[in-house]
Amino acid sequence: MKYLLDSNIIIRLAMASGDMLRARAGECDDGDLVTSAIALAEVAYGSSQGKPLAFEQLSAFLEEVPVLDFDLKAALAYASLPFRRASYDRLIAAHALSQELIVVTDNVAHFADVPGLKVENWMV
């Protein structure tokens, strides 16, 4: 494991949009890409509300990219972060920190104030 995919990246990869993004993901070795159960929850909620992704697209994506359970280590990492109300991003950041992963997102600003977190934007 090396990279934790944020919800916006999951959506774009699963919808096969963003040639630069798909090319960068294709450069990764097997097992380098994972996502968090938190990011999955965010995308699945959107799907249930009629937003992209369709459940079929999400299921196909999950056949390729493993989902990490949000565990005790992630919960303790979350407890150490500067608080921000109602933020999936804080939970995703904590999960990445607890596993020493790099967050891949198109919303770099959402993670900018998390100490020690490594973030990459593969959309630019």
Side-chain angles (χ1 to χ4, degrees), residues 57-110:
Q57 291 171 303
L58 183 55
S59 294
F61 175 82
L62 294 174
E63 289 177 15
E64 300 295 323
V65 177
V67 177
L68 299 179
D69 291 335
F70 192 87
D71 59 10
L72 175 62
K73 191 174 178 181
L76 294 175
Y78 176 76
S80 72
L81 296 181
F83 183 74
R84 183 179 293 167
R85 182 177 298 280
S87 176
Y88 286 112
D89 294 334
R90 279 293 192 267
L91 293 166
I92 293 165
H95 206 175
L97 285 168
S98 74
Q99 299 294 318
E100 299 179 4
L101 299 170
I102 300 165
V103 173
V104 178
T105 184
D106 193 27
N107 293 325
V108 174
H110 293 188

Side-chain angles (χ1 to χ4, degrees), residues 15-83:
M15 293 180 69
S17 63
D19 291 337
M20 193 178 339
L21 173 62
R22 294 191 66 72
R24 178 63 182 91
E27 294 172 5
C28 293
D29 293 329
D30 286 343
D32 277 356
L33 302 178
V34 297
T35 194
S36 169
I38 304 300
L40 173 60
E42 187 175 11
V43 174
Y45 177 76
S47 295
S48 74
Q49 301 301 304
K51 296 179 182 176
L53 294 171
F55 280 113
E56 297 78 23
Q57 291 171 303
L58 183 55
S59 294
F61 175 82
L62 294 174
E63 289 177 15
E64 300 295 323
V65 177
V67 177
L68 299 179
D69 291 335
F70 192 87
D71 59 10
L72 175 62
K73 191 174 178 181
L76 294 175
Y78 176 76
S80 72
L81 296 181
F83 183 74

